Structures are given as structure tokens and as C-alpha cells.
Amino acid sequence: MSASDAPRAKAPASPEPLPLPVADSHTHLDMQDRSVEESLALSAAVNVTTLVQVGCDVPSSEWAARVAAEQESVHATVALHPNEGPRLVLGDVDGWSRKHREPGGARALEDALRRIDELAGLPQVVGIGETGLDYFRTGPEGVAAQQESFRRHIGLAKRHGKALVVHDRDAHEDVLRILEEEGAPERVVFHCYSGDAAMAKVCAERGYVMSFAGTVTFKANGHLRAALELAPLDLILVETDAPFLTPVPYRGRPNAPYLIPLTVRAMADTRGIDVAQLCAAIDANTRRVFGLA
């Protein structure tokens, strides 16, 4: 099943509630087939009590900030997704972006970054992301624009004193290199961590946080479980990236924050620790990383 089909499939049943509250550190409520209120109610019923709503472009970042202002349990991050920079610069744009584009894409990218900068100053915005590099969907012609956009977002995170949420797909070496070259913000989160144990060791040495998604439950992803075993407990988060990356046994069906317990229990099993212990660590880590009360 393709990602575009996922939201139309039958929603999984609610799993057993977690023994302690946790947060979904990365979700896209605006892409899910239910209201925000319904999503929050389903999540709360299984002890997923905090959601980080992630922006991918200017409109979704504005939406995230607005919902976070309205809902106490929702917090926002704002950014241009790695694939958005090349679209702006190379001209494959629509909607908001087309209104701001000039030949060469310079004005579109600058205007978009300026708007993200404005949103980043809002109190309900707790992070800059998702930004980073994605060499899976963007070809060589878009690499320069991606890397420039990533560098600019790193600067925004440092200037606003907020967490940097990194999207890293098929770009591990360049992501780590650019973070070093620019000087990483105090708090860096690798969303949907996709590296192996060797990369986890580097992240641990640098204090980067690794957020694990439903992919850690997939049978073929032994490298993710090896990374999870190695990662320090105080550098671990959990997420859905909903409506995508649904954990086993519902892989291929629509994901949502209320399914976090499936991933948490699989993570606890991988590490050989009590579920409650992992919940407590994840909750503390989320509050520290995103500056939540």
C-alpha cells in the first residue's frame, strides 16, 4: 500500500493504554482523517497526552501554530521540509509558494524562510522542523537548495533557542557533516531515526536525540533495533509520523497518535526494560527537549 492510500484504509482498533503518559513527538494531524478533537480524545484514552504537530511548509506551519495555540496538549514545530527548498528554488511550486516566486526562486525561498522565522518566535512553537536532507525524493539538481535551506533552519533554531527536528533520508553523512559545520543547536532531534548502531553512537556522543517511529517494529529493520539498544535512555523519543509508518501489526493502515503504545511496547521489549520505565524516560525527554512545562 502506498503512503497516499494509507489515510483511506480502515483505522486500527485502539491498543491497551500505557501505564504512564507519553508524547507523540512528531505527528501530522492535518493529514489525518479525523478532527483534532477526535485525535486528542483517542490519544488521551491510551495515555498519549502530548502531541507535537510538525510543519512541512508555510501553510502547514501556520496551521500547526494555530492549533497549538488552541489546544493545551498540542505543541508546534515550523519549517520547510527538505523537499520544499528545491521546489521553491527550481519552480515546482503551487499555492502560497507560487505567489512569492520570482525567476530563480530566490524570493520564494527567502519569503518562506522569513515567515518561518516569524512563526518560530511564537510561544506555542517549540521547535524548528522538520528540516534536514532527503536524497530519496530530491535528485542531484536539488541538493544545493536542500543544503542551503537546512543551514538556514539550523541558524533559526539557534537564534530562537528551540529544538531542531531533523528529517534525514538517505543523507546521513551530509546531515551529520552540516550540523558540525554550522554548529548544532543545543537540542537536536533525529525524527524517525533511520541510521544504524554506528550512527547512533555518533549521535549519542554529540547529544543528539533519536526519535523512533513504527519502523522500529518492522521485521527487516534490525539495524534500527540495534541502534535503539545502543542509544542512551535519556536520548530516546517516540513518534508516529502519522498518518504514515504505522507499527506492526497494522503496517499499511493509517497511523495516528493513539497507536503510540504499540511502538512503545516494542521498544521496551527490544531494550529489555519495563514499559513504565520507558514511558517515564520518554516523557521526561520530551519535556526537556521541547522545553515543555
Side-chain angles (χ1 to χ4, degrees):
M1 181 179 294
S2 68
S4 61
D5 292 331
R8 293 192 291 271
K10 183 180 179 182
S14 291
E16 179 185 350
L18 290 167
L20 293 173
V22 298
D24 181 350
S25 71
H26 191 115
T27 193
H28 301 282
L29 294 172
D30 50 328
M31 301 181 189
Q32 297 170 40
D33 282 351
R34 57 177 59 87
S35 70
V36 170
E37 291 75 16
E38 289 172 326
S39 292
L40 295 180
L42 279 170
S43 301
V46 295
N47 236 350
V48 179
T49 58
T50 302
L51 277 64
V52 179
Q53 168 65 25
V54 175
C56 295
D57 54 18
V58 169
S60 65
S61 293
E62 291 176 333
W63 190 89
R66 184 170 63 253
V67 170
E70 296 169 351
Q71 301 288 346
E72 185 178 358
S73 60
V74 178
H75 307 274
T77 71
V78 298
L80 307 178
H81 187 279
N83 293 327
E84 188 68 8
R87 279 197 286 266
L88 291 167
V89 172
L90 300 176
D92 181 15
V93 298
D94 54 35
W96 187 94
S97 303
R98 179 174 290 122
K99 298 177 183 177
H100 294 75
R101 182 170 63 83
E102 289 182 344
R107 179 183 170 188
L109 181 58
E110 288 301 319
D111 282 357
L113 287 168
R114 187 176 302 114
R115 181 57 178 147
I116 296 300
D117 190 9
E118 293 171 352
L119 293 169
L122 297 172
Q124 70 269 30
V125 173
V126 297
I128 305 299
E130 55 189 286
T131 181
L133 302 176
D134 187 327
Y135 294 165
F136 179 77
R137 295 192 182 280
T138 295
E141 71 281 358
V143 167
Q146 272 202 5
Q147 294 190 0
E148 174 61 18
S149 179
F150 184 30
R151 292 179 190 274
R152 296 286 293 277
H153 282 82
I154 291 172
L156 289 177
K158 290 193 289 187
R159 183 147 55 81
H160 288 280
K162 297 186 177 179
L164 182 75
V165 178
V166 177
H167 172 111
D168 165 29
R169 189 168 189 186
D170 295 349
H172 303 326
E173 291 184 6
D174 280 354
V175 166
L176 291 171
R177 172 180 58 82
I178 289 173
L179 283 169
E180 283 291 282
E181 290 175 355
E182 294 296 315
E186 181 180 350
R187 293 163 290 157
V188 174
V189 178
F190 274 77
H191 130 69
C192 187
Y193 182 82
S194 58
D196 57 12
M199 182 174 165
K201 183 177 180 180
V202 174
C203 289
E205 290 170 349
R206 298 184 184 179
Y208 300 161
V209 176
M210 291 158 270
S211 181
F212 290 88
T215 47
V216 77
T217 71
F218 297 175
K219 184 177 180 180
N221 287 344
H223 67 291
L224 295 183
R225 290 183 287 277
L228 174 60
E229 287 184 284
L230 185 147
L233 194 58
D234 64 348
L235 294 180
I236 291 173
L237 296 179
V238 68
E239 65 174 83
T240 57
D241 197 22
F244 314 110
L245 309 182
T246 313
V248 171
Y250 299 114
R251 185 178 181 181
R253 291 166 68 177
N255 203 3
Y258 74 91
L259 296 177
I260 278 283
L262 298 172
T263 304
V264 170
R265 288 192 165 90
M267 290 169 64
D269 184 63
T270 294
R271 289 189 63 102
I273 63 175
D274 184 72
V275 173
Q277 180 185 356
L278 182 58
C279 288
I282 288 172
D283 183 66
N285 296 343
T286 305
R287 296 186 182 284
R288 183 188 75 250
V289 170
F290 291 109
L292 307 181

